[in-house]
Amino acid sequence: MWVLYLEAFVALFLLVFIVWWTLPSKKKPTAKPLPPKQESDKDDV
C-alpha cells in the first residue's frame, strides 16, 4: 500500500515541479527609460 502512496506523491511532485518550471518569470524593470527620439528638421525639404 505504501508503494501506491509513494507513487502518487512522486507523480504529484513532478506535476507541481513541471508547472512551476514552465511558469513565465516576472519581467525585470529596466534600469532607466530610453529618452524620446528627437525629430530632425531635415525631413521638411
Side-chain angles (χ1 to χ4, degrees):
M1 187 70 179
W2 64 271
V3 177
L4 294 177
Y5 288 132
L6 179 64
E7 185 179 355
F9 175 75
V10 170
L12 181 63
F13 174 77
L14 285 175
L15 175 68
V16 170
F17 179 76
I18 290 172
V19 169
W20 173 78
W21 186 265
T22 57
L23 283 177
S25 61
K26 295 180 181 178
K27 294 181 180 178
K28 296 179 181 177
T30 56
K32 49 186 166 180
L34 296 173
K37 293 182 180 180
Q38 300 203 0
E39 299 178 12
S40 63
D41 294 331
K42 293 180 182 178
D43 294 338
D44 298 332
V45 175

